[in-house]
Each structure stands twice: as C-alpha cells, then as structure tokens.
Amino acid sequence: MNGAESLVRTLVGGGVDVCFANPGTSEMHFVAALDRVEGMRCVLCLFEGVVTGAADGYARMSEQPAATLLHLGPGLANGLANIHNANKASSPMVNIVGDHATYHRKYDAPLTSDIEALARPSSHWVKTSPDARSIAADGAAAIAASRKLPGQIATLILPADTAWNEGSGPAEVVTTALPKPVSHDAVAEAAKALRSGEPCLILMTGRALRQQGLDLAGRIAAKTGARLIAQGSNARTQRGRGRVFLERVPYVVDQATKVLSGLKHIILVGAKMPVAFFAYPDKPSLLAPPDAQGHVLARLDEDIIGALDALAEEVGAHSTPALVVNDPPPTKATGRITPEALGASLGALLPENAIVVDEAVTTGRGFFAPTRSAAPHDWLSNMGGSIGLGMPLATGAAVACPDRKVITLEGDGSAMYTLQALWTQAREGLDVTTLLFSNRSYAILRGELANVGAGNPGRKALDMLDLGSPDLDFVNLAKGMGVPGARVTTMDEFNNRLAEGIAAPGPFLIEVAV
Ligand SMILES: Cc1ncc(C[n+]2csc(CCOP(=O)(O)OP(=O)(O)O)c2C)c(N)n1
C-alpha cells in the first residue's frame, strides 16, 4: 500500500470521510487511492475558495473536520481567505496540500514555493510529511490537531514521493479530549456580578448559542435580570420559535456603543470583550463602556454548557423558565422589494429546520429581527470578514445535512468571489436555495467611505463601488452552471419563487432586484 492510500485509509478510519478537492499532478496518487478505499466522499470544487469554505460549512454542521485537497502553494493560497474565515469560526479542518517530490524541490520548478510559510498564519498545525512511511502517522496527528478544542486548522503537506512510495498502512487516530470544565472561581465571579445589582450583560458565542446553552442562559437571565446578547457574528446560532432570542452586537460602531452603554459587568461565555470590526477616526475600538468589567465564565475551548449549568445552579435559576419566542411568524410582505419586506417574507417562509447562511451584507442587516419567530432554524455567519464565503459555506452545510434545506442569503458583490460553488451544488444535487440580492453595488463600502472620513467621493472612487455596466445576469450565470433560477422584481414574485425553491429539492437561485 502506498503512502497516499495509507493516508486515505487513516482519514476514513479517523472519521474524516468527506474531502472537498481541487487536485493537480502532485495529488494524483491521492486521487487514485480514493477508488481503492471505501467510504470517502469526494466533492470536486472548481476553485480552492469553494473547497475551503465548503469544508468550513461541513464542519459547522457535522462537528467533524472535512479534508481538503489542494494543489501546492498556489492552490493553498487560493483557498486561504476561507481558511482564515474557518479559523475565526473555530472550525476543524484537515488540509492536504500536495507538493513536488522531495528530490525535485531543489530544482525550483514553476510550482515550487514555501508551502509551510503560506500555511502557517491560518493553521494551528503544519507539517510536511518527510516520507511515505510517515504519512499515515502524520495524517493521524493532523486529524487529532484539527479536533483539538474548540476546533483547529491542520495543514499536512504531501510531497508526491511521500504519496507514491511504499507506505505503512493506516495509522490510528487518538480520541479527542473532552472540553475542560471551568473553575469554580470563574462561576463564582460571574455569579457575584449577576448579584451585584449593577447592569450586567451575558455575552455569548460558540456552543452557548445552541439550544441547551440558550435555555440555560435564558433561565439565568430570567432569574437575575441580566441582559443576554450574542457576538456580532457567530459560527452557528440556533434560533426561531420556541427558542430564546438573542440580539447581536451591531456592526455599526455607534449602534454597538449604544446597545452596550451603561453596563458595569459583561460575563463572557466563549466571547471576547466586543471590538469594532474596523477602526474609524474618532470612534472607539472597544465597544463596551471603559468602566465595564469583563468576567470570563468560559473560553471557547472550555465546557461552555457545563459552565452555564454551574452558573444556573449557583444563582438558583434551574427552576426559572427561560423567556422563549412564541409570537407567530411574520406575514409575507407584498408590493415593492425592500430589505424590511424581504425580512418579513423570509421569516414567514423559512422552512422548519432550515440552515440559513448569511452573507447578505447590507440587504440582510435587518433580517435577524423578523426571523426571530420563524420556524426553528440554524443561522451561520461569516466569522472572519473575508467575503466570498456564503455560497461555499452553504455547499458544505448541505453536504453535511442532506435532509435539511439550506437558504443562502448572498450579496451580489460577495457572490462573485466564489460563484462556481453553484456548479458543485448542481453536480452534487445539493438542496440549496440561493437568494441573490442584486443591488449592483458594494453598498456597504459607500457608507464606509463616509465613516472613515475619506471626504466627498469623486467619479473614480464611486466607480470602485459600483457593480453595474455591465449588469451581472445571475439567472444566466446560474443556468450555465446547471442551477435553475429566476429574477424577481416584486415581493409577490419573491414569495412565489422562494416557496418554489423551498418546495423543490436541489439547488435554485433567485436573483432579487433590490
Ligand atoms: C476578501 C475580501 N475582499 C474585499 C472585502 C471588502 N468588502 C467588504 S463588503 C464588500 C462589498 C460587499 O458587496 P455585496 O456583497 O454586494 O453587499 P452590499 O454591500 O452591496 O450589501 C467588500 C468588497 C472583504 N471584506 N473581503
């Protein structure tokens, strides 16, 4: 058995049984091994940003790392932006990056580069496997590293001769440690803040935003009068009717400082003290009032649910019911398309157990509130701020959860980075409805131009924020990749097409003229 097959068998044996791939010559032995090993689902993506974003979506929904297969330094570099996003989301990921045969590297062939140096900034674990007898053990170590809590990026570089020479056979993967319990002191400090009688906020992310965490935090809030809020963006939030609703720290600095004003205590549950996305002249970087004290109840790699449970016990909240959303969903909007109308219709039509992937940028800013009473669903955000994640993320989430409808909320500017995710959705028959908000501009940057104090924009500056001339035709772009779609210009059309997209299995795209 060669090194490549030893590695594939190690991956499958270690529970890594999906590989998002964009291969080249140096990965041919890995590709060939896929046919000799049962149990690995391999998904071809036509750009590495789709590969790595899909691996992120898969990990968020399955809680297992996917493997990626990338072609030397340039392939990895193409995938780095979404590796950055996955890193910020604490998604486990095992990148397999092919390299030249070890003896070929010294000749500086066209594709030779320093792959380790490219990988390091966004990988917790990087190794070039030196020979075919080591690759299985290195693969096992990469899987273990990716599963280290709260989830890490492991990048394993596979020289071609490491793949084709005689290997060791598969290696065993060590089991992952459970999350560490938090100290009693951390629980006591949080309880003291809650009992202080001073304004107190519980700021949550990570596992705290799943059903169990929400329920515990909801009980604590109901018992103590503390406020609850989620970080600005979160890898996965369970929400909708019957669940505790959390606002998010707003993106806009003035709104965020207003929401956080007057607080004396912030209990951090997986979260950090809130910081502005960007610095702006004359605005603060830290969003909480300067005299607000942060209290770390649990870090992301600790037992967040156990910590909330212990805090609920400490403040006697277990028997206090949490306040959950039980108002009816909004009614569908009619008439002109506006962000508010879209939010209402989305809240009305979202199917039970949907996975919502949010890269709607300015159009979607107001969608969170009207979907609070929608049917229960999961909401995935971009954690790293690098746009071009939405459609790949949806692709990976749909691979992980074939029985759930995925709804992608996508800005037109963001869509154009990784649009070819649609082709993978069509090829794999993934159940994804994409709502493509076509405002034909980088709308957010118009506001940012003013916010950073760049002065009155001229024609050249405005041209950099304009996506018209030529207008993008997303229905035909999707059609060319095998995804049916429609353009809508009224809310009635939107409602009908969304219902159609939800009812029909498989990918569907709605270009929404906003
Ligand atoms: C990789 C990357 N490049 C550039 C940016 C800067 N950027 C942030 S939002 C944005 C435009 C988003 O446009 P669109 O998706 O159409 O949403 P809109 O602002 O129109 O609502 C850009 C270019 C970024 N965040 N990430």
Side-chain angles (χ1 to χ4, degrees):
M1 184 188 304
N2 67 18
E5 187 174 335
S6 304
L7 175 59
V8 175
R9 289 192 185 279
T10 301
L11 290 168
V12 173
V16 180
D17 53 12
V18 170
C19 179
F20 297 98
N22 188 267
T25 307
S26 39
E27 298 80 45
M28 286 297 111
H29 281 272
F30 186 98
V31 170
L34 294 170
D35 275 322
R36 295 196 294 274
V37 182
E38 280 291 307
M40 176 68 86
R41 178 170 180 191
C42 223
V43 178
L44 180 62
C45 306
L46 302 185
F47 175 67
E48 293 84 349
V50 180
V51 170
T52 53
D56 183 0
Y58 179 85
R60 291 194 201 189
M61 294 313 302
S62 69
E63 304 191 6
Q64 289 298 329
T68 68
L69 183 64
L70 303 167
H71 186 52
L72 297 96
L76 172 63
N78 277 344
L80 275 179
N82 279 338
I83 292 178
H84 159 89
N85 286 330
N87 181 18
K88 298 282 183 176
S90 298
S91 294
M93 188 184 294
V94 178
N95 299 311
I96 315 278
V97 187
D99 192 7
H100 287 309
T102 47
Y103 58 84
H104 192 65
R105 270 200 224 113
K106 61 178 176 285
Y107 300 117
D108 192 24
L111 274 162
T112 306
S113 68
D114 187 346
I115 303 176
E116 289 191 8
L118 286 167
R120 237 174 251 121
S122 291
S123 299
H124 302 83
W125 185 101
V126 180
K127 184 168 184 192
T128 303
S129 195
D131 53 57
R133 312 266 338 151
S134 313
I135 185 65
D138 289 339
I143 297 169
S146 77
R147 290 212 178 104
K148 191 155 179 252
L149 294 170
Q152 300 198 138
I153 311 291
T155 302
L156 175 62
I157 298 157
L158 174 63
D161 50 344
T162 296
W164 71 52
N165 285 337
E166 186 64 20
S168 63
E172 194 78 23
V173 181
V174 293
T175 47
T176 318
L178 292 169
K180 287 182 292 254
V182 302
S183 69
H184 180 69
D185 286 356
V187 177
E189 184 182 324
K192 190 170 163 213
L194 288 170
R195 291 196 194 101
S196 67
E198 295 179 321
C200 188
L201 176 79
I202 304 176
L203 176 61
M204 318 221 288
T205 194
R207 237 169 220 286
L209 301 181
R210 307 285 177 85
Q211 177 85 44
Q212 214 184 347
L214 292 168
D215 179 60
L216 286 164
R219 287 171 192 273
I220 295 167
K223 172 80 184 185
T224 64
R227 283 169 55 202
L228 288 179
I229 200 163
Q231 247 181 210
S233 36
N234 301 284
R236 181 175 170 192
T237 306
Q238 296 196 309
R239 55 196 306 272
R241 227 170 21 256
R243 289 176 168 153
V244 173
F245 172 71
L246 262 62
E247 279 294 356
R248 301 172 292 185
V249 176
Y251 173 88
V252 177
V253 172
D254 292 340
Q255 290 172 16
T257 51
K258 198 163 159 221
V259 164
L260 301 172
S261 72
L263 286 171
K264 291 285 184 239
H265 301 279
I266 302 185
I267 296 174
L268 301 165
V269 188
K272 295 186 296 204
M273 285 298 262
V275 297
F277 217 90
F278 291 106
Y280 302 91
D282 309 321
K283 291 196 196 291
S285 289
L286 292 172
L287 300 170
D291 61 339
Q293 236 188 309
H295 308 277
V296 179
L297 174 67
R299 293 197 318 256
L300 264 186
D301 60 343
E302 293 179 318
D303 180 5
I304 286 180
I305 301 299
L308 285 168
D309 192 51
L311 184 58
E313 182 69 33
E314 187 76 20
V315 300
H318 272 306
S319 54
T320 312
L323 195 66
V324 297
V325 178
N326 58 13
D327 30 334
T331 42
K332 286 182 285 184
T334 56
R336 222 162 54 79
I337 293 178
T338 63
E340 294 70 30
L342 290 168
S345 285
L346 190 63
L349 292 169
L350 211 57
E352 176 109 23
N353 219 16
I355 300 166
V356 178
V357 172
D358 179 8
E359 195 171 50
V361 198
T362 56
T363 310
R365 272 198 190 148
F367 288 175
F368 216 57
T371 51
R372 73 200 285 273
S373 54
H377 59 275
D378 284 37
W379 191 282
L380 317 188
S381 310
N382 185 333
M383 299 285 286
S386 177
I387 58 173
L389 174 64
M391 297 163 96
L393 198 70
T395 304
V399 169
C401 301
D403 301 330
R404 299 176 66 172
K405 183 64 91 174
V406 179
I407 308 278
T408 314
L409 311 175
E410 189 67 35
D412 50 358
S414 302
M416 286 307 291
Y417 289 70
T418 44
L419 193 71
Q420 57 276 63
L422 290 174
W423 180 87
T424 300
Q425 292 176 11
R427 171 187 257 226
E428 300 288 326
L430 301 177
D431 202 4
V432 183
T433 300
T434 303
L435 308 184
L436 203 307
F437 301 115
S438 177
N439 60 12
R440 296 186 170 154
S441 74
Y442 286 163
I444 190 173
L445 298 186
R446 292 171 192 254
E448 296 292 55
L449 199 65
N451 290 339
V452 296
N456 274 343
R459 185 71 261 148
K460 283 188 193 166
L462 287 175
D463 272 353
M464 293 304 102
L465 316 181
D466 173 31
L467 299 186
S469 128
D471 290 338
L472 290 154
D473 178 349
F474 284 98
V475 174
N476 273 313
L477 286 165
K479 189 171 162 214
M481 288 185 272
V483 173
R487 181 172 163 88
V488 300
T489 56
T490 67
M491 281 311 298
D492 284 326
E493 286 170 1
F494 175 82
N495 297 337
N496 292 339
R497 292 301 193 172
L498 179 53
E500 198 180 306
I502 288 168
F508 190 70
L509 180 138
I510 304 168
E511 181 178 342
V512 185
V514 284

